[in-house]
Amino acid sequence: MSPEALADLIAHSINHLLETGKAGTLTQEQIPLATSIGVVRPKDRSHGDWATNVAMQLAKKAGVAPRELAAALASELESSNGISSVEVAGPGFINIVLDSASAAAVVDTVLEQGSTYGHNDHLSGHTLNLEFVSANPTGPIHIGGTRWAAVGDSMARILQANGAQVVREYYFNDHGEQIDRFAKSLVAAAHHEDVPADGYKGGYIDEIATRVINEAAADGVDALALPRVRDDNGDEGASEQREEFRKRAVPMMFAEIQDSMKEFRVDFDVWFHENSLYESGEVERAIAELKDQGDIFEKDGATWFASTKYGDDKDRVIIKSDGHAAYIAGDIAYYLNKRRRSDHPCDVAIYMLGADHHGYIGRMMAVCAAFGDKPEVNMQILIGQMVNVMKDGKAVRMSKRAGNVVTIDDLLEAIGVDASRYSLARTDYHQSVDIDLNLLASHTNENPVYYVQYAHARSCNVDRNAQLAGINIADANLALLDTPADGEVLAALAQYPNVLQMAGDHRAPHRIAHYLEDLASAYHKWYNAERVVPMDLTDPENRLEQDQRSVVSIAKNPEAPRAAARLKLNDAVQRVIAGGLDLLGVSAPDKM
């Protein structure tokens, strides 16, 4: 019996108390839904398999003492199928012990549902646009963007497992000053000059500049001979040469970013170009719509969005006095595009932004409200914190502009895709995280991804040994899963559906990782405490070699039903670990 099924039983029992006049002054309207009844695993196992404080929550409404209501509810529960015993403790806690068959029923549920165990449809009917990474096309994806790639893709998978339709979107910032600085940096590098102070540095700049020159030459264009403009201060101005480098280099970076994402197992549904908002006129139309509803005004030669009307701390310039659009102009049009596009318009737009964007929340929520939507509902902004890469106890510094860049490719080369994705997704993105390259490259239990993957590989090895021993799951009697170690694994399996739903509702992929580590811990302890393949009872002195013992059939062995039950439990753990790792974009090896 899962916690959800137990909550349903508790709700039914409360209703029965009401019908029989044993619920005091409690009314039908005051009875909570099963989904709001808390059923938790007690830390002290002597307190039962599961516990609830629902009697304490309802006692005041019922007009009776919490222990009195708890006792009445306990009596109802104790007569229910699948319940072994119920005890009232403390001020009104109800501790519940399931019978072994009921507790073990989760095994069949997992094996029947397979990879969909724990999945639900409570977000069905919702289309969520999940925008993440969205790095400027001015260099490789750095470690901060890599974290968003791991977290964002895992979040998308989790939301889909909760029934939502998810559109993974990458916003390609290919409009504005950062592109100009990128082009200036490339021109300077091509001429072996110092990169501008506000430009981009690093070996990749020289590499891209050389590629542009070679590509242009292959097309019969001498990029370095094209007209070039420099002002009195020597700064690179708009010119045919700068445009040549820009138009060739940006697609190069775009292709490199796409390749990196593919290698990282992230597949975007939409690659959206910021520049398209300007070329299509969407920016102008969005501003015109705000103007028509009285949310635009002119001041100091600039065009302003009256965002304070919608909770922002100050009004925002959207068209500067020099006629150029401010960054928020594109954001306004982009939000409308997400909500109104003909192909998969979203009812929830989720933005995953870096720590330096925290001040952007107020103005974006004002945009949402200005178009008649609900902030924090139709628009949700998630802010991620910094990533520190450590090696040999020292920080590996990152800075895209300084050229000392820790990129996604650097990380993959050091520890691979599995360790990279898992380590970046397992920590709450609201917190900064240290990535210890030495630890994540190790094959030890201290390495969390290895610990979880090893549990899966170990379960596959159990299957191989069980097959050689002739164990048949058809012989299983799940009621024999009655040891404390069995109970811990069964309880962990039963909690997975709730963990998966909470991970989706709270936008928290790290909950899946933490769950997998807890399940792996319970499994490793169970593996060491219990045997799936029993020792051959005809060989008490253990004289045969292991491979000889393993092929002896246990068909007539009295331990066969228990062995088969444990094999099913082993396989259930295997399915859940594989499914959970898949939600994080991590492989589940069958050998390690």
Side-chain angles (χ1 to χ4, degrees), residues 427-461:
T427 304
D428 186 347
Y429 54 79
H430 295 103
Q431 304 169 1
S432 61
V433 59
D434 291 342
I435 300 298
D436 188 331
L437 298 182
N438 294 334
L439 173 64
L440 293 170
S442 68
H443 289 180
T444 67
N445 287 343
E446 285 70 37
N447 179 354
V449 66
Y450 176 83
Y451 188 68
V452 174
Q453 287 181 317
Y454 183 57
H456 184 271
R458 177 173 259 180
S459 72
C460 293
N461 189 56

Side-chain angles (χ1 to χ4, degrees), residues 23 100 112 135 142 399 459:
S100 56
E112 288 168 6
H142 59 67
S399 171
S459 72

Side-chain angles (χ1 to χ4, degrees), residues 501-554:
Q501 181 170 332
M502 290 299 100
D505 289 347
H506 294 280
R507 315 293 191 246
H510 67 278
R511 293 189 180 212
I512 298 296
H514 292 177
Y515 167 81
L516 290 175
E517 290 166 34
D518 289 343
L519 176 59
S521 176
Y523 175 78
H524 287 308
K525 292 175 182 176
W526 173 82
Y527 178 92
N528 291 327
E530 312 293 350
R531 292 190 62 86
V532 172
V533 181
M535 298 297 292
D536 176 30
L537 297 182
T538 66
D539 185 29
E541 296 182 9
N542 199 28
R543 294 171 302 197
L544 296 177
E545 295 296 327
Q546 175 63 45
D547 59 345
Q548 291 178 290
R549 289 201 310 275
S550 65
V551 299
V552 177
S553 173
I554 67 164

Side-chain angles (χ1 to χ4, degrees), residues 304-309 311-317 362-363 366:
W304 295 69
F305 168 41
S307 55
T308 52
K309 291 170 59 176
D312 196 6
D313 60 346
K314 62 181 179 181
D315 295 329
R316 305 291 174 174
V317 173
R363 71 194 75 174

Side-chain angles (χ1 to χ4, degrees), residues 373-439:
D373 290 338
K374 295 181 179 180
E376 308 294 350
V377 176
N378 300 111
M379 176 187 285
Q380 298 171 14
I381 297 179
L382 311 179
I383 300 295
Q385 297 302 315
M386 298 294 291
V387 180
N388 303 307
V389 180
M390 311 293 292
K391 187 174 184 180
D392 301 326
K394 297 180 181 178
V396 180
R397 300 184 65 81
M398 73 172 191
S399 171
K400 179 177 283 190
R401 289 181 175 163
N404 184 16
V405 184
V406 178
T407 69
I408 184 171
D409 300 319
D410 296 328
L411 190 64
L412 296 188
E413 182 179 353
I415 59 176
V417 177
D418 283 345
S420 298
R421 286 197 57 141
Y422 190 91
S423 61
L424 290 167
R426 75 179 292 267
T427 304
D428 186 347
Y429 54 79
H430 295 103
Q431 304 169 1
S432 61
V433 59
D434 291 342
I435 300 298
D436 188 331
L437 298 182
N438 294 334
L439 173 64

Side-chain angles (χ1 to χ4, degrees), residues 67-122:
R67 280 189 65 89
E68 180 182 342
L69 182 59
L73 184 53
S75 179
E76 285 286 331
L77 291 171
E78 204 160 26
S79 63
S80 303
N81 292 331
I83 303 296
S84 175
S85 64
V86 185
E87 177 186 64
V88 177
F93 291 103
I94 301 174
N95 297 331
I96 303 166
V97 176
L98 305 179
D99 65 40
S100 56
S102 176
V106 67
V107 171
D108 281 333
T109 301
V110 173
L111 296 180
E112 288 168 6
Q113 296 181 5
S115 61
T116 64
Y117 172 66
H119 293 205
N120 61 78
D121 60 0
H122 89 286

Side-chain angles (χ1 to χ4, degrees), residues 150-171:
V151 171
D153 186 60
S154 298
M155 190 179 299
R157 295 172 187 232
I158 290 167
L159 292 170
Q160 287 173 322
N162 280 279
Q165 179 175 356
V166 179
V167 178
R168 295 170 175 83
E169 188 148 342
Y170 189 114
Y171 187 54

